[in-house]
């Protein structure tokens, strides 16, 4: 009996999960987006079928090898999967950007008030291939956690957040800008006109240049955001000015670099000198001070100003941190609050590496296959992020929520007006000593003088009275 209940329960859960995935593919029109991004096969299985098979692998608890090893009959062989991943013609970057843009515009934006601050977040994370020897564009990259060099890539990622939901927009698997740090060359036989060839060129850019390319694409497609958030690795005055030229403000952590100067009080000072020259707040204030500095000039020679906020380092009581904002109209507290949204991307990286098999599910050697698999992993996260939003935000239930909301507001207004008029009646009886007929006449005259939209709300009160 227990076994039967377990089988029924598992079957029910499987059906529910399959429905969730099918619904995600259908509502967001993944098949249509794939076609728009050059996903076509001359013969054989459709791209959407292969994409969906790879997409669901992680949720089965098996990789491709284990799935084939179970003896389960598949419609296609593993060669079909690897050919799909290795194709340089598919535009994976366009697919991810179009999918996230569609979800933001059609699903998340209607749920977000106009007052909420939407942001773009940029960060990089280690994409380790430490046991590999012949992976295309493999390089020696710095692991900032372990403080040593390892073999792999730097996964530079651009995401969008409204404070509740984070969605990845684009990414670049960065090799090394220095040729001497690249352990393996790129595929020289590849057609230079393909999407794969263009991605390889960006893989050897310096990280600030690659970041600006990602932000520019997000701006061109119309992603709604007011600020760009990133940590101190990208914070240079030149970069802040370039982002301003894209009509976006920046809020970022500032690193105390001795050769990076800011204009303050007619002098050029580095960050440590700035901190020494400003007056600090007394006591154990979290915000120590804030100042307006110049970071350069625009094309017309006008001075570009930014605001630097010095805050206490909670891990080291005698140390401080600095956050810079190119929007000088923001208060100190608001700058810190908005910058706090940058943590969303750290959760995103943790989720992809620990649970969604980023860099672990396929040990491919071509650069195209790594880009393809990373995009599929990011798509898994998008689905989970939407499901998380649906489970927490009641407004995602649909129009029924708004109908209930409107009805609730109407009842509250009706009750409030009823209380006001009943109180007015009691006061007229006690204080003015008028008859019931005269009081009713005064109330009727009062109601007739009200605007029409209020009189409609009073129809319930009139019926009850």
């Amino acid at each position: 009996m227990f076994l039967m209940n377990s089988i029924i329960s598992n079957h029910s859960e499987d059906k529910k999960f399959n429905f969730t995935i099918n619904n995600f593919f259908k509502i967001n029109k993944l098949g249509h987006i794939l076609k728009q991004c050059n996903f076509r096969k001359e013969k054989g299985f459709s791209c959407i079928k292969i994409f969906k098979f790879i997409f669901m692998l992680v949720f089965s608890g098996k990789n491709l090898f284990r799935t084939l090893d179970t003896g389960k009959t598949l419609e296609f062989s593993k060669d079909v999967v690897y050919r799909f991943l290795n194709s340089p013609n598919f535009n994976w970057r366009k697919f991810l950007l179009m999918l996230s843009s569609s979800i933001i515009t059609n699903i998340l934006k209607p749920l977000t008030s106009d007052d909420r601050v939407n942001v773009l977040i940029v960060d990089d994370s280690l994409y380790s291939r430490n046991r590999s020897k012949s992976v295309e564009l493999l390089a020696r990259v710095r692991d900032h956690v372990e403080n040593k060099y390892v073999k792999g890539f730097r996964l530079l990622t651009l995401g969008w957040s409204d404070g509740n939901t984070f969605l990845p927009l684009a990414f670049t698997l960065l090799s090394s800008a220095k040729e001497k740090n690249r352990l393996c060359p790129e595929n020289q036989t590849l057609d230079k006109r393909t999407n794969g060839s263009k991605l390889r060129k960006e893989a050897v850019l310096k990280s600030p240049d690659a970041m600006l390319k990602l932000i520019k694409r997000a701006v061109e497609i119309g992603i709604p955001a007011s600020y760009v958030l990133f940590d101190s690795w990208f914070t240079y005055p030149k970069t802040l000015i370039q982002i301003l030229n894209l009509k976006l403000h920046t809020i970022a952590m500032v690193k105390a670099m001795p050769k990076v100067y800011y204009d303050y009080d007619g002098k050029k000072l580095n960050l440590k000198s700035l901190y020494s020259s400003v007056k600090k707040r007394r006591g154990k204030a979290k915000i120590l001070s804030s100042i307006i500095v110049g970071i350069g000039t625009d094309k017309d020679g006008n001075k570009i100003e930014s605001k630097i906020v010095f805050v206490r380092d909670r891990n080291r009581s005698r140390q401080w941190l600095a956050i810079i904002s190119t929007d000088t109209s923001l208060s100190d507290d608001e700058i810190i609050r908005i910058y706090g949204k940058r943590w969303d991307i750290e959760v995103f990286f943790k989720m992809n590496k620990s649970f969604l098999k980023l860099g672990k599910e396929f040990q491919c050697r071509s650069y195209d296959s790594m880009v393809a698999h990373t995009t599929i992993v990011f798509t898994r996260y998008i689905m989970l992020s939407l499901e998380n939003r649906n489970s927490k935000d009641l407004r995602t239930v649909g129009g029924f929520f708004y109908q209930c909301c409107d009805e609730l507001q109407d009842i509250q207004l009706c009750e409030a007006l009823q209380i006001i008029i009943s109180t007015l009646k009691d006061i007229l009886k006690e204080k003015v000593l008028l008859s019931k007929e005269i009081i009713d006449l005064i109330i009727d005259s009062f109601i007739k003088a009200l605007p029409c939209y209020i009189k409609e709300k009073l129809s319930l009160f009139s019926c009850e009275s």
Side-chain angles (χ1 to χ4, degrees):
M1 187 67 180
F2 174 75
L3 179 61
M4 180 61 71
N5 289 336
S6 299
I7 293 172
I8 294 172
S9 176
N10 291 336
H11 181 65
S12 176
E13 290 297 321
D14 288 343
K15 286 181 65 177
K16 185 177 179 181
F17 179 72
N18 288 331
F19 173 79
T20 299
I21 291 180
N22 292 332
N23 201 40
F24 172 73
F25 274 65
K26 182 179 179 181
I27 291 176
N28 297 293
K29 302 177 180 177
L30 263 68
H32 178 66
I33 296 176
L34 286 172
K35 288 181 181 178
Q36 288 183 293
C37 300
N38 204 36
F39 283 77
R40 294 181 181 86
K41 294 197 74 176
E42 295 179 0
K43 59 182 179 178
F45 300 96
S46 64
C47 290
I48 185 66
K49 183 174 288 188
I50 304 170
F51 180 94
K52 193 173 183 180
F53 170 77
I54 302 171
F55 180 89
M56 295 182 68
L57 273 178
V58 71
F59 303 111
S60 67
K62 300 182 181 69
N63 57 22
L64 178 61
F65 173 77
R66 289 299 176 191
T67 303
L68 296 170
D69 195 46
T70 56
K72 183 179 179 181
T73 304
L74 298 178
E75 295 183 54
F76 40 77
S77 66
K78 65 177 182 180
D79 292 336
V80 174
V81 175
Y82 282 109
R83 281 198 298 268
F84 178 80
L85 293 172
N86 287 321
S87 174
N89 298 313
F90 300 156
N91 197 338
W92 289 102
R93 173 171 285 170
K94 183 180 178 182
F95 167 79
L96 182 62
L97 191 56
M98 286 186 65
L99 174 61
S100 295
S101 175
S102 173
I103 291 171
I104 292 168
T105 303
N106 300 321
I107 299 177
L108 299 180
K109 195 176 179 182
L111 304 176
T112 308
S113 67
D114 295 333
D115 298 332
R116 182 176 286 275
V117 177
N118 299 324
V119 297
L120 297 176
I121 308 172
V122 182
D123 201 1
D124 64 344
S125 182
L126 177 66
Y127 186 98
S128 178
R129 293 296 298 265
N130 216 25
R131 299 175 64 183
S132 301
K133 294 181 180 179
S134 56
V135 174
E136 189 177 4
L137 288 176
L138 186 70
R140 291 176 68 251
V141 294
R142 183 81 171 179
D143 183 356
H144 299 295
V145 178
E146 298 291 336
N147 199 26
K148 63 180 181 181
Y149 280 92
V150 297
K151 290 190 290 185
F153 301 85
R154 289 175 62 198
L155 179 58
L156 180 67
T157 305
L158 173 70
W160 174 92
S161 175
D162 62 353
N164 289 324
T165 303
F166 176 88
L167 294 181
L169 298 175
F171 69 90
T172 298
L173 275 173
L174 290 174
S175 179
S176 176
K178 298 179 180 179
E179 190 172 354
K180 65 179 182 180
N181 286 337
R182 295 178 216 154
L183 304 176
C184 299
E186 68 174 277
N187 183 3
Q188 297 295 334
T189 63
L190 196 65
D191 189 339
K192 302 301 180 184
R193 296 169 295 178
T194 59
N195 292 303
S197 178
K198 295 174 184 176
L199 291 176
R200 285 165 172 80
K201 290 179 181 178
E202 292 188 16
V204 295
L205 291 175
K206 292 183 178 179
S207 53
D209 297 330
M211 178 188 71
L212 287 168
K213 281 184 173 291
L214 297 181
I215 295 173
K216 188 176 180 180
R217 290 190 185 94
V219 171
E220 288 173 350
I221 205 171
I223 299 295
S226 305
Y227 299 94
V228 180
L229 312 181
F230 46 78
D231 61 16
S232 58
W233 299 107
F234 307 96
T235 309
Y236 297 91
K238 180 182 176 182
T239 306
L240 302 182
I241 294 171
Q242 289 174 318
I243 294 175
L244 271 177
N245 292 334
L246 296 175
K247 309 299 181 185
L248 288 170
H249 283 291
T250 301
I251 299 177
M253 191 71 72
V254 190
K255 190 177 181 180
M257 292 175 282
K259 294 184 179 180
V260 176
Y261 299 97
Y262 304 90
D263 297 326
Y264 178 68
D265 199 20
K267 302 176 184 177
K268 286 190 175 293
L269 303 173
N270 60 28
L271 193 64
K272 286 186 177 180
S273 300
L274 281 173
Y275 180 75
S276 301
S277 61
V278 298
K279 186 178 180 180
K280 287 81 174 177
R281 296 175 185 173
R282 294 182 178 181
K284 296 183 179 180
K286 294 181 180 179
I287 300 176
L288 300 172
S289 184
S290 64
I291 54 172
I292 304 296
V293 299
I295 60 172
T297 57
D298 59 16
K299 295 178 181 178
D300 300 324
N302 299 318
K303 186 177 179 181
I304 299 176
E305 294 184 331
S306 294
K307 189 175 190 179
I308 297 180
V309 181
F310 296 99
V311 297
R312 192 181 302 278
D313 189 343
R314 64 182 181 182
N315 297 321
R316 296 172 294 177
S317 59
R318 295 188 179 182
Q319 298 296 321
W320 49 270
L321 302 171
I323 301 174
I324 192 168
S325 170
T326 54
D327 186 356
T328 56
S329 65
L330 293 177
S331 66
D332 298 351
D333 290 325
E334 185 68 2
I335 290 173
I336 295 170
R337 186 190 71 82
I338 295 174
Y339 184 73
K341 296 183 180 185
R342 199 197 71 82
W343 184 251
D344 291 349
I345 200 168
E346 302 291 353
V347 177
F348 165 76
F349 284 136
K350 177 67 175 176
M351 183 70 181
N352 281 293
K353 290 182 177 182
S354 299
F355 298 98
L356 300 181
K357 304 292 185 181
L358 178 64
K360 300 174 183 176
E361 195 169 25
F362 292 92
Q363 295 299 317
C364 302
R365 296 180 180 181
S366 76
Y367 189 79
D368 296 303
S369 62
M370 290 184 292
V371 170
H373 181 249
T374 302
T375 306
I376 294 172
V377 171
F378 283 10
T379 307
R380 292 169 180 165
Y381 182 88
I382 290 172
M383 185 194 75
L384 296 177
S385 186
L386 282 178
E387 286 301 308
N388 182 58
R389 180 67 175 258
N390 290 338
S391 65
K392 290 182 179 179
D393 195 338
L394 292 177
R395 291 172 297 176
T396 55
V397 173
F400 177 71
F401 171 84
Y402 292 105
Q403 293 172 8
C404 292
C405 243
D406 292 339
E407 182 180 352
L408 182 62
Q409 290 171 355
D410 290 349
I411 292 172
Q412 289 174 343
L413 177 60
C414 237
E415 291 174 347
L417 290 172
Q418 183 176 353
I419 292 170
I420 290 171
I421 294 175
S422 298
T423 305
L424 178 60
K425 279 186 175 183
D426 294 338
I427 291 174
L428 289 175
K429 287 179 181 178
E430 294 177 6
K431 303 295 182 183
V432 189
L433 300 177
L434 297 175
S435 64
K436 183 178 181 303
E437 290 76 13
I438 296 176
I439 291 173
D440 290 340
L441 183 62
I442 293 173
I443 295 298
D444 289 340
S445 300
F446 172 74
I447 292 174
K448 286 179 182 179
L450 293 174
C452 294
Y453 69 90
I454 294 181
K455 283 193 284 188
E456 290 176 2
K457 303 296 182 186
L458 283 171
S459 60
L460 175 62
F461 169 74
S462 300
C463 292
E464 290 178 351
S465 59

